[in-house]
Amino acid sequence: MPGVLKDERDERWDAAQAAGLQVKATNMADHQAERLEREPGQANGQAMVNGIPGGTLSNPLNGVTTSTGLAQGNVSESMAQLSRQLPPEIEHITYGYLPMSTMITRLAQETFGELNDVISELSDSKLSQPNGAAAADNAHANVDKKLRLMTFAQERRAQFIKVLVLSQWSRHADSMGRVIDLKVWLDGQRRLFNDACNWMGELKRILGSERMPNPDLKTALETLSLGKAPRLPDLNYLPPAPLSPSRILKSLRSINTQLSIRLHLHEKIPHFMKDFSIIDGRATFRVPTEFELDLSIADENPSSQLYFIDFRFLFASATADVPHGRLRDDIEGRVNHLLGHGGLKECYNFLHEFVLSHKINILRHQAYGMSQAKWSDHIKVETVHRSFVIQYWIGRPGDKSWIEIGLRRRRAKRKSWLYKEEDDPHIGLRWFRAGNEVHHSPFSVDIEVLSAEKLLKEVISAHTNFIFKETVARLKESQLYSKKILGLKRTRSATEPIDIQLSIQLTRPQWCTLVQEPVSGRFAVLPPSALHSRAERELNSLSVPDKETSSRIAQLRAFASLEEVEEMVRFHGWDIARSMKPSQDNISHHFGRETLKAGFFRRTWWNAQWLLAFTASLADDVWWAVELENRSFKQDQPMLGPSIRATYRVPGSSPGAAVKGFSIADLSRIERNAVGLISHFTDCNELFAHKIPHKLVKPRRSRSLHELPKLLIDFPKQAAQVLLESEKSDDTAWSSQTVRLSFMGISAKKSPANHLAIARTGCRALRPGTLRSLVGSSTTVDAKSGAFAFNLTTPVGQSTVPAIMDRLTRIERLTTYAATLQSLRSRPANLSLDHIDFFYAKLEQAYGVTISFAADRPPRLSFHHGNPQLRAQDQLTTMLSKPDGLAQVIHYLQLSLPLMCALAKIEAAHGNDRVAILLRAPEWYCLRYRDPPGGFDIRLRRRREEPMWFVQEIELPGHERLHPQVRDHLSEMIDGRGDGWEGVTPGIAASVDGVEALLEKIDGLFQQIRSSADPVATSRLEQYPMGTKRKAEEDSVITLD
């Protein structure tokens, strides 16, 4: 049913008409009901017209009335049903419509652009200059210009005429739009009608082939009952006489001759069918590992086709002869058809692909049988078109591994000038190992003896060989296996994966064998043990075994080596620090990235801050002295997981010595070397904390590989000059003296460590009393050579440096401070080990500072009485503790002295109740006035590579504002300059010496305003005139760098 095309006006009109009809129908129904009530039913005896009472007909026609009460009563219901049965509205087409204004705008823009182009073109052309005005007007160039202009005008006029036509047509756009919508709808209905007709015709054509013919029941009945059909015609042929053996032999020989002539002279035999023989009247073509085909002829004509005789398979796992039946009949019919139309080539292509498909089916059935037998739950077989996929080791984590068997085609290539190998399909295999295709796989499908299990074992053998090969290669990258300190043995096999083994030497007496089960792909470590079982679980959880197996083997070797060491040290009487359980990241950080496992041991009389560690890796097994974080340890309490501070390798062992095993004597030597190393590095830490130069030096002529290095300590020159008779003597100072500290071994009680310290100096001007106080009474001194030596016995882990450097540390600090004061041109008044007094001057007045030294405390800075910089004492004391702190303090004292003097004067003039001075930092001050309110920030900055104080107004808290008179004077100062200061935006910059005058000038403004009624204050303001105006060429704004 066609749709309805409506617009808004039609909808409003239809609604109004429907409402009017409904009202009219209702009124008529009420009138009819009243009429029926006045005229009660008179059905009996009334005249009937076509079965309808005559009394109810106003104008009967064929038994139908036009105004019955029933019809009038159901008008509204009929209209409602009709409205519900209307089809959907026709779709309104809006695609491709453009506004008329857009088209006119684009036309105007295009006309304007072309007009500019025409004007430019006309202006570029040259005008001719003939004689006479008429000649000039008729010149060729002028005529071309006129024609160009007229052509442009005519083209544009045509375009605008089209726009005019479109504008007139657009006045009826609504009606035309409905016509277009109706046209589109009608085209769609016509297309649906044509599609329906085409579908019915196609259905009729398809059903024709499906129709079964009517059965011939009469002929069938006669044939089944009598065994013959008299109704069928009989040609009365006579059967031929049987052939004699000689006749048969002669015929076969003739056929053989015809076949030989034809195959050698007339037929084009494919390359793969060159192997053929002719016997018994048939030509037998043999394709190795595929099939044998028997063909013969039926006519002596060379152009007649060959005919199929027999077909046999030439590979195992298949029946040689194709049994008689549908398959053989199909092959015979298809071969005969191809021989008649395409010759031997098409016949070979068909049989070749048929045999390949048959082989693939055999392999697929074998694979499905494997998946249901012992390989169940470990392989998965899927068919993809003519190929199939065998996924193995499906229970292993990581990427999948599978083989894909299917048809592949070789690229055509010429082997000789007589033969060009064509695109011949063959059975190919693609191996995907861990999701990546192996392009050069070492095996192929055995097309003569088909065995899916054998093929899968070859693939798994190659995969296992690859994993073990990569594992051995990665293990040989380490020092232990590359230098053959430990051994590796790998057994290979190409067909039996169970025979592939990898034997690994973990320690000198311990070997393990790694095998991989071929069906499930799980690893096994032999012989069985608790340690090997743990390694098996880790190996079977690897997602990339060829890359990660070596790391698990390395961890297994580390665990095995650590077990042997723990058993040995426990027998030797050492304690195992089981509370030390650092993470692998901490082990790699402190002992090296190659370290895999670490064990910690200690002696009961050692300091709890030191341990002995044994680390195992593929590089070497090493002993370490471990320093823990400095915490509150107690000898009788176990350590609760302390953290490692530093590690030091214990000397005295050649590479691989720990791997090959050690005895009790080796453990004693390791303990001795570890104690010496701990003592040396304890002293080194102490020296490093006091910044004393030192280094460990190996002896030049070492009698043994196990001899420890010696600790050399160099004292600074400033620390030595104080001990000399003359301060200006440069003969020999402590900088030329070296203290050599040697470890002498462990005492009989095995509790203390013995040390020998030796020093030599060529200076003989040292005071004997000073030297004795420095080295102590137990020191042996040679006055002639200046050498001295002394023995020290200290517990393991306690430094020997504090006893030697008790006094030298204070002397070094004293000389360092004195040198700093001298370099900064300060005048030290008093130098002692307890304090330093020095002065720094401001013109005629000098201010004193004292630096006090106390034990276990940082230096303390204190100012003498009357020093204006007393307010910065705490901040300067903190600055003094920093590196090069004294130089910074003195530099700051010199920069801030004028500012501090000015602030002190302001505070004395106003008192604490009217002015407040806040110290935010040594280079940042805040000055605030209360009456009148005002505030300034004073900061030290660099401007043009010179330090300057920058004064800037700050916002006042609350609703307070700066006094207008002060603001005016400050504006004049910002625009001017004075002695040592100048205005910048948005404040005033003053030099170090000029900041005092600047602050006095600003303070004078506030004093003047506060005492504005006092004439003395006015005269005081005149005493400090404002800065002069700059010249006109200097009125530019100055900003800080």
Side-chain angles (χ1 to χ4, degrees):
M1 177 175 187
V4 179
L5 186 66
K6 294 184 178 181
D7 59 1
E8 295 181 357
R9 292 174 295 179
D10 296 338
E11 291 177 356
R12 291 194 298 268
W13 175 253
D14 293 343
Q17 283 187 342
L21 289 174
Q22 185 175 3
V23 172
K24 183 176 181 181
T26 303
N27 295 334
M28 292 177 65
D30 295 339
H31 177 71
Q32 186 68 21
E34 293 177 359
R35 178 182 175 187
L36 292 174
E37 290 178 357
R38 291 194 302 266
E39 299 177 3
Q42 301 173 359
N44 296 328
Q46 289 186 353
M48 305 290 291
V49 179
N50 293 338
I52 299 177
T56 60
L57 293 176
S58 58
N59 198 3
L61 181 61
N62 295 330
V64 178
T65 179
T66 59
S67 60
T68 62
L70 181 60
Q72 294 297 336
N74 295 332
V75 171
S76 58
E77 183 178 356
S78 301
M79 292 295 294
Q81 292 179 357
L82 183 60
S83 62
R84 285 193 298 268
Q85 295 176 359
L86 292 177
E89 295 185 2
I90 296 177
E91 181 182 3
H92 181 57
I93 304 301
T94 58
Y95 176 76
Y97 280 41
L98 293 176
M100 188 68 181
S101 59
T102 302
M103 185 176 62
I104 295 175
T105 302
R106 291 181 181 177
L107 180 61
Q109 292 175 354
E110 182 182 1
T111 302
F112 181 75
E114 291 187 4
L115 179 61
N116 289 333
D117 295 341
V118 170
I119 294 175
S120 300
E121 181 182 353
L122 294 180
S123 62
D124 292 339
S125 61
K126 296 181 179 180
L127 296 176
S128 59
Q129 299 293 335
N131 297 328
D137 190 32
N138 296 327
H140 182 69
N142 297 339
V143 172
D144 290 342
K145 286 185 177 182
K146 294 177 181 178
L147 289 176
R148 179 73 180 86
L149 190 60
M150 291 299 296
T151 302
F152 165 75
Q154 185 176 3
E155 291 177 354
R156 293 295 94 193
R157 179 175 178 274
Q159 294 293 332
F160 278 99
I161 289 175
K162 294 179 181 179
V163 173
L164 177 62
V165 174
L166 290 176
S167 64
Q168 294 177 354
W169 176 84
S170 64
R171 297 173 186 176
H172 306 282
D174 296 338
S175 301
M176 293 301 297
R178 288 195 294 272
V179 172
I180 292 173
D181 296 343
L182 185 59
K183 173 66 168 56
V184 171
W185 181 85
L186 289 175
D187 291 342
Q189 296 298 314
R190 186 180 297 107
R191 183 170 57 255
L192 293 177
F193 176 79
N194 293 333
D195 293 343
C197 294
N198 293 335
W199 177 80
M200 287 188 293
E202 184 67 17
L203 182 62
K204 181 179 179 182
R205 185 185 66 80
I206 294 174
L207 293 179
S209 61
E210 300 296 334
R211 181 180 178 182
M212 295 181 63
N214 297 327
D216 188 359
L217 298 179
K218 183 177 180 181
T219 303
L221 183 60
E222 292 179 355
T223 303
L224 293 176
S225 60
L226 302 177
K228 59 181 180 179
R231 298 178 63 256
L232 297 178
D234 187 5
L235 301 179
N236 297 321
Y237 285 123
L238 298 176
L243 295 176
S244 63
S246 59
R247 179 79 175 179
I248 295 174
L249 181 59
K250 183 178 179 181
S251 300
L252 292 177
R253 288 178 178 177
S254 176
I255 294 173
N256 292 342
T257 304
Q258 295 293 332
L259 281 174
S260 178
I261 296 173
R262 180 170 179 174
L263 293 178
H264 286 89
L265 299 179
H266 301 285
E267 291 291 339
K268 185 176 181 181
I269 303 175
H271 173 75
F272 296 99
M273 298 181 69
K274 292 292 184 179
D275 183 11
F276 66 91
S277 61
I278 302 174
I279 189 172
D280 296 336
R282 67 179 67 184
T284 303
F285 295 89
R286 179 183 177 87
V287 179
T289 69
E290 291 191 12
F291 61 89
E292 280 187 352
L293 176 64
D294 295 341
L295 301 179
S296 186
I297 58 175
D299 193 356
E300 296 181 356
N301 187 3
S303 61
S304 64
Q305 75 169 70
L306 298 173
Y307 288 93
F308 175 87
I309 302 298
D310 198 2
F311 177 81
R312 294 174 297 278
F313 293 111
L314 293 182
F315 55 90
S317 303
T319 304
D321 296 331
V322 179
H324 292 275
R326 180 177 179 182
L327 177 60
R328 184 183 180 87
D329 295 342
D330 290 344
I331 294 175
E332 181 178 358
R334 185 69 180 272
V335 169
N336 288 331
H337 175 75
L338 292 175
L339 289 172
H341 293 80
L344 290 175
K345 181 179 179 181
E346 294 297 330
C347 175
Y348 167 77
N349 291 337
F350 165 71
L351 293 178
H352 177 60
E353 293 198 4
F354 169 73
V355 171
L356 294 182
S357 301
H358 186 51
K359 288 183 177 181
I360 293 175
N361 289 332
I362 292 174
L363 291 174
R364 180 169 57 246
H365 287 301
Q366 291 178 357
Y368 276 114
M370 292 169 55
S371 64
Q372 298 174 1
K374 70 175 184 178
W375 295 81
S376 61
D377 299 333
H378 298 293
I379 65 172
K380 183 178 181 181
V381 183
E382 293 182 0
T383 302
V384 182
H385 301 295
R386 296 176 66 181
S387 306
F388 70 98
V389 176
I390 304 177
Q391 179 187 348
Y392 59 94
W393 295 349
I394 61 177
R396 283 200 58 85
D399 295 332
K400 300 178 181 179
S401 299
W402 69 91
I403 55 175
E404 180 180 344
I405 303 174
L407 292 183
R408 302 186 68 179
R409 295 184 180 273
R410 301 186 183 96
R411 293 184 178 179
K413 58 182 180 180
R414 183 176 295 279
K415 289 188 174 182
S416 65
W417 67 278
L418 291 175
Y419 167 64
K420 178 182 179 182
E421 182 179 348
E422 299 180 356
D423 188 7
D424 185 55
H426 64 283
I427 297 179
L429 183 144
R430 299 174 66 191
W431 179 26
F432 291 84
R433 184 180 58 210
N436 299 319
E437 183 178 2
V438 181
H439 296 284
H440 303 286
S441 57
F443 44 82
S444 60
V445 181
D446 188 356
I447 57 178
E448 185 173 2
V449 180
L450 300 178
S451 176
E453 185 174 7
K454 177 183 176 182
L455 178 62
L456 185 58
K457 283 185 176 182
E458 291 179 358
V459 174
I460 293 176
S461 298
H463 198 162
T464 305
N465 282 325
F466 172 76
I467 293 175
F468 287 176
K469 177 184 176 182
E470 291 295 320
T471 302
V472 170
R474 292 177 183 273
L475 289 176
K476 286 188 176 181
E477 293 177 357
S478 61
Q479 182 178 357
L480 294 180
Y481 292 101
S482 62
K483 295 184 177 181
K484 298 184 178 180
I485 300 174
L486 296 176
L488 288 171
K489 297 179 182 178
R490 183 163 71 97
T491 305
R492 304 175 182 88
S493 177
T495 57
E496 288 296 334
I498 195 63
D499 297 335
I500 303 174
Q501 296 180 355
L502 177 60
S503 299
I504 307 166
Q505 186 180 11
L506 303 179
T507 59
R508 183 179 62 175
Q510 186 176 357
W511 285 75
C512 74
T513 302
L514 179 64
V515 296
Q516 189 173 22
E517 203 276 322
V519 177
S520 63
R522 295 180 61 84
F523 290 98
V525 183
L526 305 176
S529 65
L531 186 61
H532 293 173
S533 298
R534 178 180 177 182
E536 284 183 11
R537 290 194 298 270
E538 294 180 354
L539 288 172
N540 292 323
S541 64
L542 299 179
S543 57
V544 189
D546 55 311
K547 297 181 180 179
E548 299 175 354
T549 302
S550 58
S551 61
R552 297 303 185 273
I553 296 298
Q555 292 180 0
L556 175 61
R557 199 212 73 80
F559 276 103
S561 180
L562 184 59
E563 280 187 354
E564 291 185 0
V565 171
E566 288 182 350
E567 184 178 357
M568 180 66 70
V569 300
R570 192 183 298 109
F571 176 77
H572 193 54
W574 293 9
D575 296 334
I576 301 177
R578 301 196 181 276
S579 60
M580 285 295 298
K581 296 180 180 179
S583 63
Q584 185 61 37
D585 293 338
N586 290 334
I587 292 177
S588 301
H589 174 72
H590 292 287
F591 300 104
R593 296 175 56 185
E594 68 278 359
T595 303
L596 301 175
K597 189 65 178 175
F600 299 90
F601 317 98
R602 65 183 301 271
R603 288 293 221 176
T604 56
W605 53 82
W606 284 15
N607 191 333
Q609 194 176 351
W610 288 90
L611 293 175
L612 189 63
F614 173 80
T615 59
S617 65
L618 290 181
D620 197 3
D621 292 347
V622 185
W623 289 92
W624 303 79
V626 180
E627 183 183 4
L628 304 179
E629 291 290 347
N630 190 9
R631 300 179 182 177
S632 57
F633 296 103
K634 295 183 180 181
Q635 295 292 125
D636 56 345
Q637 292 183 357
M639 294 175 295
L640 300 177
S643 57
I644 300 174
R645 179 183 179 184
T647 56
Y648 312 98
R649 182 167 180 171
V650 177
S653 60
S654 59
V659 179
K660 296 178 181 179
F662 42 83
S663 60
I664 300 298
D666 296 331
L667 287 180
S668 300
R669 185 184 67 252
I670 291 171
E671 181 184 1
R672 177 187 177 278
N673 294 343
V675 171
L677 192 66
I678 290 171
S679 300
H680 278 334
F681 278 102
T682 303
D683 296 337
C684 289
N685 292 337
E686 189 74 18
L687 293 172
F688 181 78
H690 293 83
K691 299 182 181 180
I692 298 176
H694 62 281
K695 64 178 179 178
L696 289 171
V697 180
K698 294 183 179 180
R700 295 182 180 178
R701 297 179 181 179
S702 177
R703 298 180 180 177
S704 174
L705 295 174
H706 311 306
E707 188 172 351
L708 293 173
K710 302 182 183 302
L711 178 62
L712 301 182
I713 307 173
D714 295 333
F715 292 96
K717 182 177 180 180
Q718 291 80 359
Q721 286 183 351
V722 181
L723 303 178
L724 300 176
E725 294 291 344
S726 174
E727 295 182 358
K728 298 181 180 181
S729 177
D730 295 329
D731 298 336
T732 303
W734 286 102
S735 60
S736 62
Q737 171 203 356
T738 301
V739 177
R740 183 177 63 185
L741 188 62
S742 303
F743 175 71
M744 303 305 296
I746 306 174
S747 62
K749 297 181 180 180
K750 295 186 179 181
S751 56
N754 297 328
H755 301 270
L756 177 64
I758 301 175
R760 182 186 300 275
T761 179
C763 180
R764 300 180 181 179
L766 291 174
R767 302 182 183 92
T770 305
L771 184 59
R772 285 194 297 269
S773 63
L774 173 64
V775 299
S777 59
S778 62
T779 304
T780 302
V781 181
D782 187 358
K784 295 181 180 180
S785 62
F788 57 92
F790 55 91
N791 290 321
L792 292 175
T793 302
T794 58
V796 178
Q798 182 175 343
S799 175
T800 59
V801 176
I804 303 174
M805 297 301 299
D806 182 31
R807 290 180 178 85
L808 289 181
T809 301
R810 292 189 292 171
I811 294 174
E812 181 184 3
R813 181 173 55 186
L814 180 64
T815 54
T816 303
Y817 275 40
T820 303
L821 293 173
Q822 185 179 358
S823 63
L824 297 177
R825 298 180 182 180
S826 298
R827 296 178 298 170
N830 186 10
L831 294 175
S832 66
L833 296 178
D834 297 330
H835 65 276
I836 297 178
D837 295 337
F838 66 92
F839 293 90
Y840 59 98
K842 178 196 174 188
L843 298 178
E844 70 282 351
Q845 187 176 1
Y847 298 95
V849 181
T850 300
I851 301 177
S852 302
F853 305 109
D856 301 332
R857 292 183 181 179
R860 179 68 182 177
L861 190 69
S862 60
F863 294 91
H864 294 180
H865 180 71
N867 194 326
Q869 293 182 318
L870 181 62
R871 67 176 72 249
Q873 178 174 333
D874 295 338
Q875 287 80 358
L876 294 179
T877 300
T878 304
M879 186 184 298
L880 185 64
S881 302
K882 298 180 180 179
D884 198 15
L886 182 60
Q888 298 181 16
V889 169
I890 295 176
H891 182 65
Y892 172 76
L893 291 175
Q894 295 174 354
L895 293 179
S896 63
L897 183 58
L899 175 64
M900 291 294 190
C901 293
L903 294 178
K905 292 179 181 179
I906 293 174
E907 189 175 18
H910 293 272
N912 295 331
D913 56 342
R914 293 184 178 180
V915 69
I917 300 174
L918 304 178
L919 176 61
R920 301 186 183 275
E923 67 279 356
W924 184 7
Y925 294 85
C926 182
L927 176 62
R928 290 187 179 181
Y929 289 91
R930 293 186 178 89
D931 186 19
F936 301 91
D937 261 350
I938 306 172
R939 296 190 181 186
L940 181 64
R941 297 180 180 175
R942 298 191 67 84
R943 184 171 181 264
R944 297 172 185 172
E945 301 301 330
E946 293 182 2
M948 299 189 71
W949 290 99
F950 185 70
V951 182
Q952 182 180 357
E953 178 189 353
I954 61 176
E955 296 183 1
L956 300 177
H959 300 282
E960 296 181 348
R961 295 185 178 181
L962 191 63
H963 196 276
Q965 188 175 356
V966 176
R967 186 179 298 278
D968 295 340
H969 284 83
L970 286 176
S971 300
E972 295 178 3
M973 293 178 68
I974 292 174
D975 295 336
R977 65 172 60 186
D979 185 12
W981 60 269
E982 63 177 337
V984 296
T985 303
I988 305 172
S991 62
V992 174
D993 297 331
V995 68
E996 185 174 1
L998 175 63
L999 293 181
E1000 289 180 357
K1001 187 178 297 296
I1002 294 175
D1003 183 65
L1005 296 176
F1006 283 90
Q1007 290 186 14
Q1008 177 192 8
I1009 294 172
R1010 190 172 59 251
S1011 57
S1012 58
D1014 189 359
V1016 179
T1018 304
S1019 62
R1020 182 179 178 181
L1021 182 62
E1022 296 174 355
Q1023 184 179 355
Y1024 302 97
M1026 299 298 152
T1028 58
K1029 291 289 185 177
R1030 298 182 183 179
K1031 296 180 181 180
E1033 61 274 8
E1034 299 178 355
D1035 288 342
S1036 60
V1037 178
I1038 300 176
T1039 58
L1040 292 178
D1041 295 335

